PDB file of all heavy atoms in Angstrom:
ATOM      1  N   GLU A  74     -11.598   8.948 -29.121  1.00 98.00           N
ATOM      2  CA  GLU A  74     -12.869   9.392 -29.696  1.00 98.00           C
ATOM      3  C   GLU A  74     -12.884   9.128 -31.211  1.00 98.00           C
ATOM      4  O   GLU A  74     -13.904   8.720 -31.769  1.00 98.00           O
ATOM      5  CB  GLU A  74     -13.059  10.878 -29.409  1.00 98.00           C
ATOM      6  CG  GLU A  74     -14.489  11.313 -29.506  1.00 98.00           C
ATOM      7  CD  GLU A  74     -14.710  12.619 -28.805  1.00 98.00           C
ATOM      8  OE1 GLU A  74     -14.517  13.666 -29.445  1.00 98.00           O
ATOM      9  OE2 GLU A  74     -15.039  12.595 -27.611  1.00 98.00           O
ATOM     10  N   GLU A  75     -11.736   9.326 -31.831  1.00 98.00           N
ATOM     11  CA  GLU A  75     -11.620   9.113 -33.288  1.00 98.00           C
ATOM     12  C   GLU A  75     -11.916   7.649 -33.619  1.00 98.00           C
ATOM     13  O   GLU A  75     -12.619   7.350 -34.579  1.00 98.00           O
ATOM     14  CB  GLU A  75     -10.212   9.466 -33.809  1.00 98.00           C
ATOM     15  CG  GLU A  75      -9.880  10.954 -33.807  1.00 98.00           C
ATOM     16  CD  GLU A  75      -9.780  11.558 -32.413  1.00 98.00           C
ATOM     17  OE1 GLU A  75      -9.321  10.857 -31.475  1.00 98.00           O
ATOM     18  OE2 GLU A  75     -10.197  12.716 -32.234  1.00 98.00           O
ATOM     19  N   GLU A  76     -11.366   6.737 -32.818  1.00 98.00           N
ATOM     20  CA  GLU A  76     -11.580   5.307 -33.086  1.00 98.00           C
ATOM     21  C   GLU A  76     -13.061   4.948 -32.916  1.00 98.00           C
ATOM     22  O   GLU A  76     -13.626   4.207 -33.722  1.00 98.00           O
ATOM     23  CB  GLU A  76     -10.721   4.450 -32.144  1.00 98.00           C
ATOM     24  CG  GLU A  76      -9.243   4.471 -32.509  1.00 98.00           C
ATOM     25  CD  GLU A  76      -8.354   3.872 -31.419  1.00 98.00           C
ATOM     26  OE1 GLU A  76      -8.563   4.157 -30.223  1.00 98.00           O
ATOM     27  OE2 GLU A  76      -7.428   3.134 -31.770  1.00 98.00           O
ATOM     28  N   LEU A  77     -13.669   5.488 -31.864  1.00 98.00           N
ATOM     29  CA  LEU A  77     -15.087   5.192 -31.648  1.00 98.00           C
ATOM     30  C   LEU A  77     -15.932   5.795 -32.773  1.00 98.00           C
ATOM     31  O   LEU A  77     -16.851   5.149 -33.301  1.00 98.00           O
ATOM     32  CB  LEU A  77     -15.533   5.711 -30.268  1.00 98.00           C
ATOM     33  CG  LEU A  77     -16.996   5.512 -29.914  1.00 98.00           C
ATOM     34  CD1 LEU A  77     -17.431   4.050 -30.039  1.00 98.00           C
ATOM     35  CD2 LEU A  77     -17.295   5.996 -28.480  1.00 98.00           C
ATOM     36  N   LEU A  78     -15.604   7.020 -33.173  1.00 98.00           N
ATOM     37  CA  LEU A  78     -16.353   7.660 -34.269  1.00 98.00           C
ATOM     38  C   LEU A  78     -16.176   6.885 -35.576  1.00 98.00           C
ATOM     39  O   LEU A  78     -17.112   6.809 -36.378  1.00 98.00           O
ATOM     40  CB  LEU A  78     -15.902   9.119 -34.445  1.00 98.00           C
ATOM     41  CG  LEU A  78     -16.433  10.083 -33.381  1.00 98.00           C
ATOM     42  CD1 LEU A  78     -15.725  11.437 -33.458  1.00 98.00           C
ATOM     43  CD2 LEU A  78     -17.940  10.278 -33.491  1.00 98.00           C
ATOM     44  N   ALA A  79     -15.007   6.297 -35.759  1.00 98.00           N
ATOM     45  CA  ALA A  79     -14.773   5.507 -36.976  1.00 98.00           C
ATOM     46  C   ALA A  79     -15.661   4.266 -36.974  1.00 98.00           C
ATOM     47  O   ALA A  79     -16.229   3.887 -38.015  1.00 98.00           O
ATOM     48  CB  ALA A  79     -13.300   5.113 -37.064  1.00 98.00           C
ATOM     49  N   LEU A  80     -15.818   3.649 -35.798  1.00 98.00           N
ATOM     50  CA  LEU A  80     -16.705   2.484 -35.713  1.00 98.00           C
ATOM     51  C   LEU A  80     -18.159   2.898 -35.979  1.00 98.00           C
ATOM     52  O   LEU A  80     -18.896   2.218 -36.712  1.00 98.00           O
ATOM     53  CB  LEU A  80     -16.571   1.809 -34.333  1.00 98.00           C
ATOM     54  CG  LEU A  80     -17.545   0.666 -34.067  1.00 98.00           C
ATOM     55  CD1 LEU A  80     -17.391  -0.469 -35.096  1.00 98.00           C
ATOM     56  CD2 LEU A  80     -17.367   0.097 -32.653  1.00 98.00           C
ATOM     57  N   VAL A  81     -18.557   4.023 -35.395  1.00 98.00           N
ATOM     58  CA  VAL A  81     -19.924   4.521 -35.598  1.00 98.00           C
ATOM     59  C   VAL A  81     -20.172   4.743 -37.096  1.00 98.00           C
ATOM     60  O   VAL A  81     -21.216   4.342 -37.635  1.00 98.00           O
ATOM     61  CB  VAL A  81     -20.135   5.821 -34.767  1.00 98.00           C
ATOM     62  CG1 VAL A  81     -21.357   6.595 -35.234  1.00 98.00           C
ATOM     63  CG2 VAL A  81     -20.245   5.486 -33.284  1.00 98.00           C
ATOM     64  N   GLU A  82     -19.213   5.320 -37.754  1.00 98.00           N
ATOM     65  CA  GLU A  82     -19.334   5.582 -39.188  1.00 98.00           C
ATOM     66  C   GLU A  82     -19.474   4.270 -39.966  1.00 98.00           C
ATOM     67  O   GLU A  82     -20.283   4.149 -40.886  1.00 98.00           O
ATOM     68  CB  GLU A  82     -18.089   6.366 -39.641  1.00 98.00           C
ATOM     69  CG  GLU A  82     -18.223   7.072 -40.974  1.00 98.00           C
ATOM     70  CD  GLU A  82     -19.494   7.889 -41.115  1.00 98.00           C
ATOM     71  OE1 GLU A  82     -19.994   8.455 -40.118  1.00 98.00           O
ATOM     72  OE2 GLU A  82     -20.030   7.927 -42.252  1.00 98.00           O
ATOM     73  N   LYS A  83     -18.670   3.284 -39.538  1.00 98.00           N
ATOM     74  CA  LYS A  83     -18.723   1.980 -40.212  1.00 98.00           C
ATOM     75  C   LYS A  83     -20.118   1.349 -40.042  1.00 98.00           C
ATOM     76  O   LYS A  83     -20.705   0.840 -40.996  1.00 98.00           O
ATOM     77  CB  LYS A  83     -17.643   1.072 -39.600  1.00 98.00           C
ATOM     78  CG  LYS A  83     -17.432  -0.217 -40.335  1.00 98.00           C
ATOM     79  CD  LYS A  83     -16.293  -1.024 -39.748  1.00 98.00           C
ATOM     80  CE  LYS A  83     -16.765  -2.442 -39.508  1.00 98.00           C
ATOM     81  NZ  LYS A  83     -15.981  -3.207 -38.602  1.00 98.00           N
ATOM     82  N   LEU A  84     -20.641   1.440 -38.821  1.00 98.00           N
ATOM     83  CA  LEU A  84     -21.970   0.860 -38.564  1.00 98.00           C
ATOM     84  C   LEU A  84     -23.049   1.632 -39.323  1.00 98.00           C
ATOM     85  O   LEU A  84     -24.010   1.043 -39.825  1.00 98.00           O
ATOM     86  CB  LEU A  84     -22.261   0.841 -37.058  1.00 98.00           C
ATOM     87  CG  LEU A  84     -21.299  -0.016 -36.213  1.00 98.00           C
ATOM     88  CD1 LEU A  84     -21.604   0.124 -34.732  1.00 98.00           C
ATOM     89  CD2 LEU A  84     -21.366  -1.490 -36.615  1.00 98.00           C
ATOM     90  N   ASN A  85     -22.877   2.958 -39.404  1.00 98.00           N
ATOM     91  CA  ASN A  85     -23.849   3.768 -40.161  1.00 98.00           C
ATOM     92  C   ASN A  85     -23.975   3.280 -41.599  1.00 98.00           C
ATOM     93  O   ASN A  85     -25.048   3.353 -42.194  1.00 98.00           O
ATOM     94  CB  ASN A  85     -23.410   5.240 -40.191  1.00 98.00           C
ATOM     95  CG  ASN A  85     -23.684   5.949 -38.877  1.00 98.00           C
ATOM     96  OD1 ASN A  85     -24.436   5.455 -38.040  1.00 98.00           O
ATOM     97  ND2 ASN A  85     -23.060   7.103 -38.677  1.00 98.00           N
ATOM     98  N   ASN A  86     -22.847   2.801 -42.139  1.00 98.00           N
ATOM     99  CA  ASN A  86     -22.826   2.420 -43.559  1.00 98.00           C
ATOM    100  C   ASN A  86     -22.923   0.918 -43.795  1.00 98.00           C
ATOM    101  O   ASN A  86     -22.898   0.477 -44.935  1.00 98.00           O
ATOM    102  CB  ASN A  86     -21.535   2.951 -44.205  1.00 98.00           C
ATOM    103  CG  ASN A  86     -21.513   4.461 -44.193  1.00 98.00           C
ATOM    104  OD1 ASN A  86     -22.501   5.098 -44.531  1.00 98.00           O
ATOM    105  ND2 ASN A  86     -20.416   5.049 -43.739  1.00 98.00           N
ATOM    106  N   GLN A  87     -23.008   0.149 -42.722  1.00 98.00           N
ATOM    107  CA  GLN A  87     -23.007  -1.322 -42.898  1.00 98.00           C
ATOM    108  C   GLN A  87     -24.337  -1.798 -43.467  1.00 98.00           C
ATOM    109  O   GLN A  87     -25.401  -1.603 -42.850  1.00 98.00           O
ATOM    110  CB  GLN A  87     -22.740  -1.994 -41.536  1.00 98.00           C
ATOM    111  CG  GLN A  87     -22.615  -3.510 -41.653  1.00 98.00           C
ATOM    112  CD  GLN A  87     -22.281  -4.160 -40.313  1.00 98.00           C
ATOM    113  OE1 GLN A  87     -21.631  -3.568 -39.443  1.00 98.00           O
ATOM    114  NE2 GLN A  87     -22.765  -5.369 -40.122  1.00 98.00           N
ATOM    115  N   GLU A  88     -24.280  -2.428 -44.604  1.00 97.00           N
ATOM    116  CA  GLU A  88     -25.520  -2.930 -45.217  1.00 97.00           C
ATOM    117  C   GLU A  88     -26.083  -4.086 -44.413  1.00 97.00           C
ATOM    118  O   GLU A  88     -25.327  -4.883 -43.851  1.00 97.00           O
ATOM    119  CB  GLU A  88     -25.227  -3.395 -46.635  1.00 97.00           C
ATOM    120  CG  GLU A  88     -25.023  -2.205 -47.524  1.00 97.00           C
ATOM    121  CD  GLU A  88     -25.400  -2.469 -48.959  1.00 97.00           C
ATOM    122  OE1 GLU A  88     -26.087  -3.469 -49.230  1.00 97.00           O
ATOM    123  OE2 GLU A  88     -24.999  -1.653 -49.790  1.00 97.00           O
ATOM    124  N   GLY A  89     -27.392  -4.158 -44.337  1.00 97.00           N
ATOM    125  CA  GLY A  89     -28.031  -5.259 -43.621  1.00 97.00           C
ATOM    126  C   GLY A  89     -27.997  -5.103 -42.111  1.00 97.00           C
ATOM    127  O   GLY A  89     -28.470  -5.977 -41.392  1.00 97.00           O
TER     128      GLY A  89
END
Side-chain angles (χ1 to χ4, degrees):
E74 201 162 87
E75 290 67 35
E76 287 168 317
L77 178 54
L78 284 169
L80 174 59
V81 164
E82 197 48 33
K83 189 176 130 199
L84 298 175
N85 283 345
N86 296 314
Q87 184 177 330
E88 286 209 15

